[in-house]
Amino acid sequence: MTVQYNDFVIRFANVNGSGSASANGMFAKALFRMGIPVGTRNIFPSNIQGLPTWFEVRVSEKGYLGRREGVDIMVAMNAETFEEDVASVSPGGYLFYDNSKPLPKNLRRTDINEIGVPLATLMLGEFTDPKQRSLFKNICYLGVLSALLNIEFEVITGMVSKQYKGKDDLIAPNIRALEVGRAYARDYLECPLPLQVRRTDKVGDRIMIDGNTASGLGAVYGGATVCAWYPITPSTSLAEGFERYANQLRKDPDTGESNFAIVQAEDELSAIGIVIGAGWNGARSFTATSGPGVSLMSEFLGLAYFAEIPAVLFDVQRAGPSTGMPTRTQQSDLMAAAYASHGDTKHVLLLPSTPKECFDFAADSFDLADRLQTPVIVVSDLELGMNDNLSEPFAWDDARRYDRGKVLTAEDLDGMERFGRYLDVDGDGIGYRTLPGTHPEKGSFFTRGTSRDEYAAYTESPEAYERNMQRLLKKWDTAKTLVPEAEIQSSGQRCGVIYFGTSATPMPEALDLLAEEGIEVDTCRVRAFPFTAEVEQFVADHEVVFVVEQNRDAQLRMLLTNELDTNPAKLVSLCYYAGLSLSAEFIRSGVSEYFNANKLPRLSEVKS
């Protein structure tokens, strides 16, 4: 028997609200603790319970953690989706199901392997409470899988003990359910399977965390003291993460009083209004939302842009438009976020690809907002925000000091003949600001979104308006020098690939697949908008640039076309927008088909 180690996709099909999330999460974390790289994807419905949910784990010692087409092991626990779950198993794969009731003949496949375990029957003899039987059935199948896949049993039992610490009465029955499943597999099934896991050291010092939690923690470290938000999937857990960590780290050690404020507003417009008001008064403030919230916040974002008030917005994207698919992932808010509001506006975007970047960019966003006196939008998505991902460990320099930008003190004002809020003194497009109440006579005491001159006096003078708008463009040029640079890998190829965000996850595997076909391309991962100079140079240096993104309308390509002096004909779109995460196979096939259609030479042909 040929054994394949640490390389498969397993999918759990359950009913939402059935308690399966705990068992499925423990499965992924057990492999992680064995040093095996894993990527998780929770595919769930937009209701509370009763509808189908899937949890997928990509196991890859090579570190390929993007979504892969096909399923090697299907744990089918939902009768309503059984037919499609069976159909999704790759030929030669395994169907694991509860055979307490026989499998209908019309659902059988001759090209896959069936693993039937009477889970309900096994739990019937162990637990008298019907609710316990249902819940522990999930733990029981985890025990079966531990034997089938050769998972170190003490790793799983150790996780149970840790997870239920403080609820000791739950530890013993959970471990009993694990033991029942493991014993059944050893007694009645051929195990382990040819698909197995074994301990390795490929995880290194990486941690496992979701992007929303990382962003919430980054906001705490970035100095945020005000969070105003309105619940919306998939961003809610970001605000909850901030609150959890702020309760640990932002309380006065002597009095126990909170040094932060969290306001659950009545709607998204109110949330961003609170953020802007707090920013005007000097607090580092933020909100978290998704596409529909960005739409509602656009008018206030224009106010913050024009009045030049620091504010931070986290946009965790989902599939739109309108309500769309609230629990599916996409990268479809790019244009809406970049040009949010009517009139001529441009907003700074930070585009993280990993939980570590979620942490880093969250902290950096407050420095940028203060330095530039403008809204900064951290654009993530459901794939990154709500799924546990492998991540480099977070780091923080305790010597780091917040960059509050150009804020004048009372002493500064006393030394000035006249304060000009919107004067460009330094040639970078950024004026000096004051916080309300800094000085009894000088400084700013209110703001508004109407046109004004350099001294904040209301005017509709065409010349004053044009000077102000040109200064804002100069500030935009300054932003290009402050945002994170793109990550470029170049070896002088004729073709390049530009991508951002979670499109980075499948990219290493896609590049390896293309290399096997004799196709090599340079890559540019965009990490911010405005685009930095090396992005423009990357486009200029290549004859063809594939733009990989997860939306229908090629929004990154539109931004590149709008903002760079480039020929749009050289930008070739590869757009995936079905609501699932991007796969390496999609990227490979798109690039390969273009090479074939345009008869571009491959490496093997060039060398020959």
Side-chain angles (χ1 to χ4, degrees), residues 19 61 67 73 118 128 155 204 210 247 286 290 344 355 405 440 461 527 568:
E61 189 158 341
R67 184 177 66 86
I73 304 171
T128 56
V155 172
D210 65 88
N247 275 318
F286 76 94
S290 190
D344 294 321
S461 160
R527 301 201 298 160

Side-chain angles (χ1 to χ4, degrees), residues 92 193 462 577:
L193 298 175
Y577 48 91

